[in-house]
Amino acid sequence: ADSKPRDGGTLIVGQYQEVTQFDPNRQYSWETWRIDRNIYETLVNEDLSSPTGVPKIVPGLATSWTVSPDATTYTFKLRQGVKFTDGTPFDAQAVQFNVRRFTDPTFQYYDKVSAATMGLVYADLASFKVIDDYTVEYVFKHPFLDYLRQIPNSGNAASGIFSPAALQKYGQDGLADHPVGTGPFKFQERVRGDHTTLVRNPDYWGARPRLDKVIFKPIGDDQSRVAALRSGAVDLISRVPPDSVATLEKAGFSVPENKNVPQIIYYNFNYTNQYLQDKRVRQAIIHAVDRKTLAEKIYKGYAGPATSIINQGNEAYDASAVDYQFDPEAAKKLIADAGYQPGEVKFTILSDTTGQPTAEFIQQQLKAVGIDASVESFEWITYGTRSANLKPTDGINLGEWGYIAPNWVKIAHNYSVVNRGGDKYSDTSAATNSAIEAAAHNPDPAKSKELWQAAAQAWAKDATIFPLISFNRYYAVSPRVGGFVWPQQDHYDLSQIWVAS
Amino acid sequence: MTAVLTVDGLHVDFQLPGAVVHAVRGVDLEVGPGEVLALVGESGSGKSVTAAGILGLLPRNARVTAGSIRFQGTELVGLGERQLNVFRGAGIGMIFQDPVTSLDPSFTIGSQLGDTARLHLRVSRNEALEVSRTWLDRVGIGDPDRVLRSYPHELSGGMRQRVMIALAGLSGPKLLIADEPTTALDATVQKQILDLLLGLAGEAGTAVLLITHDFGVVSHTSTRVAVMREGTIVEIGQTGQVLGAPSHPYTRTLIDSVPEIGQRHLQDGHQRRLLGAPPATARVRLSERTEAPRPPTDRPILELHGVTKEFSIGGLGTGRHRSTVRAVSEVSLSVRRGEIFGLIGESGSGKSTLARLSGALLPLTAGSVTFDGTDVGTAGKQGLRDLRRRFQYVFQDAATALNPRIRVGDQIARPLLRLGKATGRREATELTHRALELVGLNAGYADRYPREFSGGQRQRVGIARAIALEPDLLILDEPTSALDVSTQAAIINLLLDLKDELDLTYLFIGHNLAIIDFVCDRIGVMRQGSLVETFPAGELFSTDRQPATRALLDAVLPVRARRREDLLAPSTIKD
Amino acid sequence: MTTTTAEVRAGAPPRLRRSAAARFVRNREALLGLVVLIVMVGVSVLAPWLAPYDPNAGDPDNVLAPVGSAGHLLGTDDQGRDVLSRLLYGGRGALVVSIVSVAVALLIGTLLGLYGAFAGRRTSGVLMRIIDLMFAFPVILVALSLAAIIHPGPWVLIGTVVFGAVPYVTRIVFAEAKIEREKDYVEAARSLGASEATILRTEVLPNLLSSVVIYGTSLVGVNIVFTASLSALGLGIQPPSPDWGRMISEGAKVLVTGNPGVATFPAIAILLVALAFNWLGDGLRDVLNP
Amino acid sequence: MARRILWRLANLVPLLFVISLLVFFISKAGPADPVKDVLSEKMSPEQIEQIRQAYGLDQPAWKQYLHWLRDMFTNGGGISLSVRSPVSGIVFPAFLNTLILGAATTVVAVALGVLIGFVSGIRHGRLIDRAAMLLVQIGSNLPIYWFGLIVIWLTAVQWNWLPPGGMHDLRGDGGFGDLLLHLIAPAFAASLVSMLIIARFVRAAVIESAGSDYIRTYRSQGFGRAAILGKHIGRNILPPIVNTTGLTVGSVITGVVFVETIFSWPGLGSVLLNAIAGSDYPVIQSGILLVATTFVVVNLITDVLLDLLNPRLRHGGA
Ligand SMILES: Nc1ncnc2c1ncn2[C@@H]1O[C@H](COP(=O)(O)OP(=O)(O)OP(=O)(O)O)[C@@H](O)[C@H]1O
Ligand SMILES: Nc1ncnc2c1ncn2[C@@H]1O[C@H](COP(=O)(O)OP(=O)(O)OP(=O)(O)O)[C@@H](O)[C@H]1O
Ligand SMILES: [Mg+2]
Ligand SMILES: [Mg+2]
């Protein structure tokens, strides 16, 4: 890691999942965006070169921008002279094509799937205008302070700009396999299940990427991924199993620590379960679980307890916020108050296999307060479908998400409570909703943090979400690799990384 | 001149789980060059085991516990496989008793003969084929080319046996051990084969150890005879002397049991039995129940009309063109209730096939079979099964007709239960034991598996299985070919007694004309798939017989010179 | 019958064969297999009395204690649960599932294979194509569908294994039965009035037993492992129930870094059971089929 | 015989049709909803509904089936519902990779299985027989999750002999030698079970054949051990070998999912697993149809070979 920066070479990244697809409007999952963002760029970027601090918003495909005081209108000056890797120019028309694809049902290239995915960010878009060849304007119905943060966001609904020509050429479904953007690397090939290769974009407008080639390889099995890193087959892996951290470090690999990454593990409640419709039971559950011990003992300190839905790394993070203390006695009392005998409350904990230790830990702790939970754990993909199709006997199910932008509170509340019909079972849902709306539609940056924290606190009252832990080790890097930085974000910048020869 | 083979005090034991069988208990033998030593004896007396022991080819569970075997002065007992291989084939040739199982089912006859030829004669592939063809010709196979390209299962019993002989003779051994080489052969071919053996002995000085039951064969072929019983040699001496003046009582019994041409079991209304035994006065039937007497009818019990059978051979993967072999051709025949119908004919003439067709064990190519008024071809599954309890088979190849994985006791008892002859396990077991005893086997053998029997014992198991069912019609395909003469006599007598008692009908296929002549009421002669003639048994020697029949008769070997004159038709006897 | 010379041989025939049980006992390997199995079953049944700890109770302060640590003979897993206790309990599901499912699969497969070999060409064709179909059907899909209908658990595993193994058994039996079908003893049995069904059951089956036993006993261990993998997909025995298969897939995480015992001991247990079945099978074959 | 082969191939059509129907309706009736998956966790019900419409999933099941059928013939199976990309591009390459692994596995299983079975059979009851059988019994009953990791750990991490997984060295040129190197560990691991079964069958067949009367005949003619073993015993044990080999090909194609996972082999197993979990029926359909075709063809070849190998069966039964 301490060798001199060097030009050329190939970096091989071992990912923990097969990536979804390289269509910026349809893609989802962090691992996909870690690739995609090298192909597609966004109007604004985050500066990912520092391991600490909320990344600064910096120019990307836009060189400058203005935000109206009410935070509804965003005007971007586009960078000139930029070309997509297929040679077509990047300009306001291209941006318009992109935006219309997922917002304008009258557009020839409108795509419902993209619209559904991108709705997360653009649902409130009132209009989009091309001012001139290099100026575009987005107008939102409500103040949207976090829009700039959302643009380069990861996971789903990132606003990467693709080449309209490519879409026209390959079709709505074809773009995914023939991605064309303006990024530092360009797509070379994807062998499904095996690898994706990117090569340096020689015409890149920004700083020349050091690497000739980056290869991403999915290795789903945790142990195999670690073995691949150790044997030198890959240079960088994500999702280091906590049990491997110490050995990897001992073997000379670096496993950077970052306690401020916008990532949180939490549990959703299933409101079709009769017991969980009672807020006292939900509160009892949170009281019953010792998140500190979970983080320190089961995860050996490679995770930190999360006691608020505002994840660490979020702009509105407040370390002192605690929803419910670890207090088994209080939990027992709450259950008794709810009218249940010990052992009467029964439900299933759904988890993916990586979360299984957590689930089993929770199960044991619930047992101590008289809740009889069983665990069902599934492979990641199976789990996804299973958790999207809950049965009334299911109790809580694992979630993993998180954002830097504080409107994460709204997103999370929507999905964990509103969409699941949880509002009915919370006495304070009206207050929570209005607090969230107030924060979301607030145009004043100075007040933003405060409002979001208040919203989160209002939400926590009736225990409709169960935050758990955040990981603080995630990547492991071979000593061959130089310049790797794990910023406060759930992706990283590859353009300035180098590998030793 | 030293003996080619010397066996001294040979003892062989079989280790069965929980028991030891002393199969051979001190056998001494000597065979000199050019000599033919005949080994006769009771079925199960250890002849085959002795023979196999010489070549070191005993089954895994057998041990030579004592004795010595010297071939041209070399001690063979205790030699390893590799050292024995020096002698096998080129030095000592062996013709096994059961040609069905002794030929490799996966290779053509040509390939099996050819391999041996190339191993021992060091000839090219083509020459090997030529040698094989010559040998098939020498053992009297008429169409060697077809046989060379055939698989063992496509040949008749006699053809397989002759292939076995060719296989052993091919490599020109100094000592030839022939274990009942002619049991499945008709008289003509038998004579041809024996002359071949004599030729080998005479010209090449080959020593021959000939195991046989047929005293005609003994007197025709051998210089000396050894008589074996219960694992030991009870008498040994010059052929003429042993046959003429046997000293051991067992030998005498044997010789007295030899059937002679021209005797009939029913003559002038008098019942006779072999060996001068009287017809049974006591009941011989197995079951206690009495059958309802059958309504007397004139309807034939079995009727064949224009029965034809073609086998298709060749085709994809066999390296030869698809073609058909006509094994049975337009045979019409009717067997009356209560008669014994004999079927004779040269080997491969279609007798066994015809028998199988009669019981609908093979689909017909053309024609019809009627059993007691029911058309077998259209009887349907259930109808056929109903018929089957009324006719039974004794198959030619006892070795393969028994299920190798089931104790013989069960193989006899199960059909009894199935067909309602016995009402419970106990009764079935009892009947099984009785049936075994009737054919001269100890009831204790019920516990054994087929491979633990001698050839003749297996054959008797087959007979026991069939008679235990007391069928109306019994098809006997060479039922006594592997039996020594005294056992054979006992079996024949048993069959006759059973028939009297139960009014059975037999279809009796055989090569031994004396036996056929003795037991049958009517006789049919087959040749190349066709039934050439049928006639009452008494007219077997009449002068207007077809040439095919005459040829068979002409080849019958006399047992003793002094009996020649006794024959009814002396003019037909040749030396 | 008075004249048979063979009858001269007097004396009661020796009973040549010992009873099947006696022969089985003499077969040392088979006996060893039986003993191992009995011990395994016994331990599983007696687990509540033998196990030093509650197999599901984790101790967060004592995770991944190494083999031989004080109080935990075989160490603890990543939840701090006692490996020995889990090992003792863990055989219950594995043994029941694998034995039941293999037995059922053998039964069905053998019946179908025999039937296919003896039925008419058309019936046999249809049957064997159905078998092809079963072959091609991913067992995972079966498992998922079953899990949807009857909830993940042992029955899903049994159903899945049966579905997966039946086509194999069927084809093995089918191919061999087709060869047997042509043999003379079958013809003989037919002539002895046996119906086709009887021939299959009492005549052909004993000749196939060796193959069936070989295949069946090979399957037992394999299927314990397979069901473990299904459990890992969330379709079988659910955590935290101790189950050898699950213990292996969970223990694999800490195989190299942590306590290798968590996965290794159940692996050895499965191996022992599998070996025991193999021995038992070989012994059984010798007894049934000397 | 030739007619029979054609007939069997013609059978393929209705068979595949039945399979596709079955698979379709089972995946429809299954617990999962193709649109509700990891992604949908993070979507509102309206968004999910939109996607559902986009893929025609709001239509009645039979229409969906017909659409799939049409897609099958017009554009290679349509679009995957969960991966949203053409099915052919997902399934074919993966299937090819599985075939490669399957072929290698079969070769290893058959070669080693026959060798071990043969040696054990000849040395029946001796030390080497017992040792060899014990070894394969142990080998084939090692849980793959455990054993595979140990193999990777030792060969890749500790000794650096073999790659830790995957099909190619991503840094190399991906030549044939490289592929072979990557095949060693997974093929070996995947072959263990079949190897045991083949070894046991071969052993039993050798023992039976070696004790048979016709082998006694060859021995009586002084054929050397090698000739008898190689040609005659070899020929007579071919049927069980062919039969179990056919089964091996089948079992490795469907059974290597776990091996694929551990050795990061980009095969059909994991593709199908994911598709099944997500009720992605276009992918399941195409995948299963490919597998089914392979099975039918392999079974057909096996059956024909078995018949050809048995002189009594060559004419298609008596
Ligand atoms: N594999 C075996 N296991 C046990 N006993 C056997 C075995 N083979 C033969 N025997 C027994 O050994 C004795 C001698 O058998 P052998 O085959 O030598 O008789 P044989 O004289 O050739 O009779 P046959 O004339 O009937 O062929 C018989 O009693 C037989 O039951
Ligand atoms: N399955 C078959 N396939 C082809 N040809 C066969 C088959 N079975 C018998 N044959 C042929 O049919 C002919 C008659 O055979 P069959 O067994 O009926 O003769 P046989 O009269 O009983 O002779 P033997 O006295 O030698 O037993 C022979 O030429 C034989 O090769
Ligand atoms: Mg004999
Ligand atoms: Mg015949």
Side-chain angles (χ1 to χ4, degrees), chain B residues 307-309 326-333 343-346 348-351 354 524-534 548:
Chain B
V307 165
T308 299
K309 176 69 191 174
R326 191 168 252 239
V328 172
S329 166
E330 312 233 354
V331 172
S332 298
L333 170 71
L343 199 56
I344 59 174
E346 65 192 19
S349 58
K351 303 181 294 295
L354 186 69
V525 182
M526 287 194 74
R527 193 181 135 75
Q528 292 179 0
S530 305
L531 189 65
V532 293
E533 61 175 341
T534 53

Side-chain angles (χ1 to χ4, degrees), chain A residues 223 226 240-248 297-300 302 357, chain C residues 63-64 78 250 253-259:
Chain A
Q223 301 308 314
V226 172
V240 178
D243 293 310
S244 303
V245 174
T247 20
L248 279 172
K297 297 287 168 47
I298 305 295
Y299 285 100
K300 302 194 178 61
Y302 302 132
Chain C
V63 296
L64 296 177
D78 58 352
E250 289 166 26
K253 293 179 202 154
V254 292
L255 184 61
V256 196
T257 58
N259 180 359

Side-chain angles (χ1 to χ4, degrees), chain C residues 15-97:
Chain C
R15 274 306 278 195
L16 278 176
R17 246 157 254 290
R18 294 167 185 248
S19 69
R23 268 180 295 143
F24 186 87
V25 171
R26 278 168 60 90
N27 187 323
R28 259 183 302 162
E29 269 188 354
L31 203 62
L32 181 63
L34 192 67
V35 168
V36 170
L37 274 183
I38 290 175
V39 169
M40 290 282 182
V41 172
V43 161
S44 299
V45 171
L46 297 179
W49 293 276
L50 295 176
Y53 295 88
D54 175 353
N56 297 332
D59 173 4
D61 290 326
N62 197 6
V63 296
L64 296 177
V67 175
S69 22
H72 298 283
L73 194 57
L74 303 182
T76 60
D77 67 3
D78 58 352
Q79 298 270 325
R81 295 175 296 208
D82 182 50
V83 173
L84 175 61
S85 305
R86 289 177 74 73
L87 191 67
L88 294 175
Y89 274 94
R92 300 178 154 200
L95 289 170
V96 170
V97 167

Side-chain angles (χ1 to χ4, degrees), chain B residues 188-306:
Chain B
T188 328
V189 180
Q190 164 168 302
K191 185 150 181 302
Q192 189 179 348
I193 296 288
L194 293 175
D195 289 340
L196 177 67
L197 291 184
L198 283 176
L200 289 179
E203 292 155 24
T206 306
V208 179
L209 176 60
L210 178 69
I211 301 172
T212 183
H213 293 308
D214 189 327
F215 278 85
V217 171
V218 172
S219 76
H220 180 76
T221 323
S222 69
T223 11
R224 289 190 305 139
V225 199
V227 182
M228 199 164 167
R229 182 154 190 250
E230 293 186 352
T232 47
I233 304 278
V234 294
E235 180 167 3
I236 190 161
Q238 295 298 320
T239 303
Q241 191 201 331
V242 173
L243 293 192
S247 61
H248 194 276
Y250 175 67
T251 317
R252 228 169 290 136
T253 324
L254 272 185
I255 290 168
D256 288 344
S257 312
V258 174
E260 297 285 336
I261 292 264
Q263 299 180 338
R264 306 240 334 96
H265 78 277
L266 193 70
Q267 248 167 356
D268 320 321
H270 283 290
Q271 283 277 355
R272 287 179 54 199
R273 293 294 182 262
L274 285 172
L275 259 184
T281 47
R283 298 165 59 87
V284 287
R285 50 190 310 191
L286 288 130
S287 60
E288 301 301 340
R289 274 170 299 144
T290 38
E291 303 271 326
R294 296 192 187 88
T297 69
D298 290 339
R299 202 164 56 190
I301 193 158
L302 180 70
E303 266 188 295
L304 310 181
H305 280 293

Side-chain angles (χ1 to χ4, degrees), chain C:
Chain C
M1 177 99 201
T2 52
T3 52
T4 308
T5 50
E7 217 175 56
V8 175
R9 213 179 302 174
R15 274 306 278 195
L16 278 176
R17 246 157 254 290
R18 294 167 185 248
S19 69
R23 268 180 295 143
F24 186 87
V25 171
R26 278 168 60 90
N27 187 323
R28 259 183 302 162
E29 269 188 354
L31 203 62
L32 181 63
L34 192 67
V35 168
V36 170
L37 274 183
I38 290 175
V39 169
M40 290 282 182
V41 172
V43 161
S44 299
V45 171
L46 297 179
W49 293 276
L50 295 176
Y53 295 88
D54 175 353
N56 297 332
D59 173 4
D61 290 326
N62 197 6
V63 296
L64 296 177
V67 175
S69 22
H72 298 283
L73 194 57
L74 303 182
T76 60
D77 67 3
D78 58 352
Q79 298 270 325
R81 295 175 296 208
D82 182 50
V83 173
L84 175 61
S85 305
R86 289 177 74 73
L87 191 67
L88 294 175
Y89 274 94
R92 300 178 154 200
L95 289 170
V96 170
V97 167
S98 60
I99 293 173
V100 170
S101 52
V102 168
V104 173
L106 284 185
L107 190 73
I108 300 178
T110 308
L111 288 180
L112 289 183
L114 284 174
Y115 182 70
F118 274 74
R121 192 180 290 182
R122 193 166 300 244
T123 324
S124 143
V126 170
L127 179 70
M128 293 319 284
R129 294 301 79 68
I130 292 176
I131 294 297
D132 283 350
L133 194 149
M134 285 176 75
F135 257 119
F137 228 74
V139 285
I140 309 285
L141 184 54
V142 177
L144 277 164
S145 313
L146 281 177
I149 305 166
I150 53 175
H151 234 287
W155 289 109
V156 171
L157 297 183
I158 291 177
T160 309
V161 171
V162 168
F163 188 94
V166 160
Y168 290 91
V169 182
T170 307
R171 276 195 66 85
I172 284 186
V173 171
F174 173 71
E176 300 220 352
K178 232 165 68 170
I179 294 172
E180 294 299 318
R181 181 185 71 188
E182 302 297 322
K183 295 200 171 156
D184 292 346
Y185 72 81
V186 171
E187 181 174 85
R190 205 168 279 146
S191 83
L192 286 160
S195 65
E196 296 297 291
T198 312
I199 292 180
L200 290 182
R201 200 165 38 83
T202 61
E203 301 285 328
V204 176
L205 192 57
N207 288 281
L208 304 180
L209 219 54
S210 152
S211 296
V212 173
V213 167
I214 288 182
Y215 196 69
T217 52
S218 300
L219 273 183
V220 174
V222 170
N223 275 317
I224 299 182
V225 178
F226 173 67
T227 51
S229 316
L230 285 179
S231 290
L233 290 177
L235 300 168
I237 292 162
Q238 290 298 324
S241 313
D243 167 69
W244 289 342
R246 285 200 72 92
M247 287 175 76
I248 290 172
S249 54
E250 289 166 26
K253 293 179 202 154
V254 292
L255 184 61
V256 196
T257 58
N259 180 359
V262 182
T264 306
F265 290 113
I268 292 173
I270 290 179
L271 189 62
L272 271 180
V273 171
L275 287 180
F277 267 103
N278 282 334
W279 293 331
L280 198 64
D282 288 343
L284 215 61
R285 204 186 47 197
D286 291 346
V287 169
L288 297 174
N289 216 358

Side-chain angles (χ1 to χ4, degrees), chain B residues 431-465:
Chain B
L431 287 179
T432 301
H433 288 174
R434 218 134 101 213
L436 283 174
E437 272 157 11
L438 278 178
V439 298
L441 291 175
N442 226 311
Y445 285 133
D447 271 350
R448 288 205 198 180
Y449 288 86
R451 65 165 182 279
E452 291 159 354
F453 285 94
S454 80
Q457 288 169 337
R458 266 198 293 264
Q459 195 166 42
R460 281 179 280 163
V461 170
I463 296 172
R465 181 167 72 173

Side-chain angles (χ1 to χ4, degrees), chain B residues 56-57 60 81 85 88-89 92 96 101-107 112 115-116 119-120 151 153 164 167 312-314 316-318 405, chain D residues 1-2 5 122 124-125 208 212-225 231-232 235-236 308-309 311-312 314-315 318:
Chain B
L57 292 172
R60 283 179 79 96
E81 194 80 347
N85 270 346
R88 289 176 184 166
I92 311 175
F96 288 101
T101 52
S102 296
L103 292 171
D104 190 340
S106 305
F107 288 88
Q112 299 185 49
D115 279 354
T116 308
L119 177 70
H120 290 294
Y151 288 89
H153 77 275
M164 197 64 232
L167 208 50
S312 73
I313 55 171
L316 188 60
T318 54
R405 300 271 193 232
Chain D
M1 186 63 84
I5 295 174
I122 299 164
H124 170 46
E208 169 146 1
S212 70
D213 282 355
Y214 55 83
I215 291 302
R216 186 182 62 175
T217 307
Y218 288 116
R219 288 171 64 204
S220 80
Q221 278 155 2
F223 279 95
R225 200 182 155 77
K231 182 163 176 186
H232 301 287
R235 168 64 182 78
N236 282 291
L308 286 184
L309 284 175
R312 287 181 186 241
R314 277 195 193 135
H315 319 295

